[in-house]
Amino acid sequence: MLNVIAVAYRKAIPLRGLIDSFLLQTNPLWVMHIMHDGPAPQDVKDVISSYKDNRIIFYETELIGEIGGHHNRKRKLDELEYNCVDWVLMTNGDNYYVPRFVEFFLGVCNASVGMVYCNTIHSHQDYNLHYSRLVECGIDMGAFIVRLDVAKETGFNHFHFSADGLYAAECNATCARKGLQVIYINKFLFVHN
């Protein structure tokens, strides 16, 4: 099962794009936890209420946190029940995925794998291609999944602009320490907005 932790702040239409990209997945083994930063405006609530799929779970915090939603990523990761079977994808409410993302990713996952990552298309960089690397500023949140036990053991420890790459590098180091494989899917399966 893939646990998708999506942080959101306003932007109702892009949020619909993210949700729709998961409803179109060829592998239905996912659940999406949408963490809205602060009270959600009515248009976001309307988008959420238009879906009747139990895999879509919506939360809104009482207060607005810092830019990037990293505190909500940490909060939801801490709340997920520890196990060695499920996987975690952290993403943003305005990103979207190709219909075979979950199929490609979960298709290579087994007991010897701790992390899987792919490349990114950057819409805010004129749709340029970004080849992911597991280093600070080398990968975007949303381009990798981590086995839940590895994610929880690593912890989400950074709350600044380059937290994505640092978290990926730390998860990679945890995999190395535990003797787990890290698999690179050399495809562009995710659009970062």
Side-chain angles (χ1 to χ4, degrees):
M1 175 70 69
L2 179 61
N3 290 281
V4 180
I5 299 174
V7 296
Y9 181 68
R10 305 187 179 213
K11 298 184 181 178
I13 300 305
L15 181 58
R16 180 178 293 282
L18 170 68
I19 295 168
D20 288 347
S21 77
F22 272 86
L23 290 173
L24 292 170
Q25 292 297 312
T26 55
N27 183 329
L29 296 177
W30 58 268
V31 61
M32 181 178 290
H33 305 273
I34 300 169
M35 308 286 292
H36 191 275
D37 199 14
Q42 191 59 48
D43 61 342
V44 169
K45 291 178 181 180
D46 291 345
V47 164
I48 296 299
S49 67
S50 72
Y51 294 99
K52 306 300 181 213
D53 192 310
N54 291 335
R55 296 174 297 174
I56 301 165
I57 305 164
F58 183 70
Y59 312 84
E60 51 189 325
T61 62
E62 289 184 27
L63 301 173
I64 297 173
E66 94 307 327
I67 294 173
H70 294 315
H71 62 288
N72 285 329
R73 289 184 172 94
K74 177 178 176 41
R75 177 178 159 197
K76 189 64 205 170
L77 177 61
D78 291 347
E79 290 174 357
L80 291 175
E81 188 174 322
Y82 184 94
N83 69 65
C84 299
V85 180
D86 288 348
W87 294 81
V88 177
L89 166 70
M90 295 193 193
T91 193
N92 299 325
D94 59 354
N95 295 335
Y96 55 93
Y97 294 82
V98 301
R100 293 182 63 197
F101 177 86
V102 177
E103 177 185 342
F104 279 125
F105 271 65
L106 292 185
V108 298
C109 293
N110 60 50
S112 67
V113 175
M115 184 176 185
V116 183
Y117 68 106
C118 70
N119 299 316
T120 303
I121 300 170
H122 272 276
S123 73
H124 65 276
Q125 294 177 355
D126 202 26
Y127 289 93
N128 286 325
L129 304 179
H130 176 75
Y131 290 88
S132 296
R133 296 171 296 117
L134 298 176
V135 296
E136 185 175 5
C137 298
I139 192 167
D140 284 304
M141 197 65 72
F144 60 98
I145 69 171
V146 182
R147 204 169 74 189
L148 182 55
D149 62 317
V150 171
K152 289 181 84 62
E153 184 176 323
T154 304
F156 196 88
N157 306 307
H158 307 284
F159 302 94
H160 48 77
F161 179 76
S162 60
D164 303 16
L166 282 174
Y167 176 64
E170 290 171 352
C171 288
N172 184 38
T174 301
C175 288
R177 210 170 38 257
K178 293 171 75 79
L180 296 170
Q181 294 178 36
V182 174
I183 296 179
Y184 170 53
I185 299 174
N186 190 11
K187 295 181 184 296
F188 295 90
L189 303 174
F190 148 71
V191 178
H192 185 284
N193 288 303

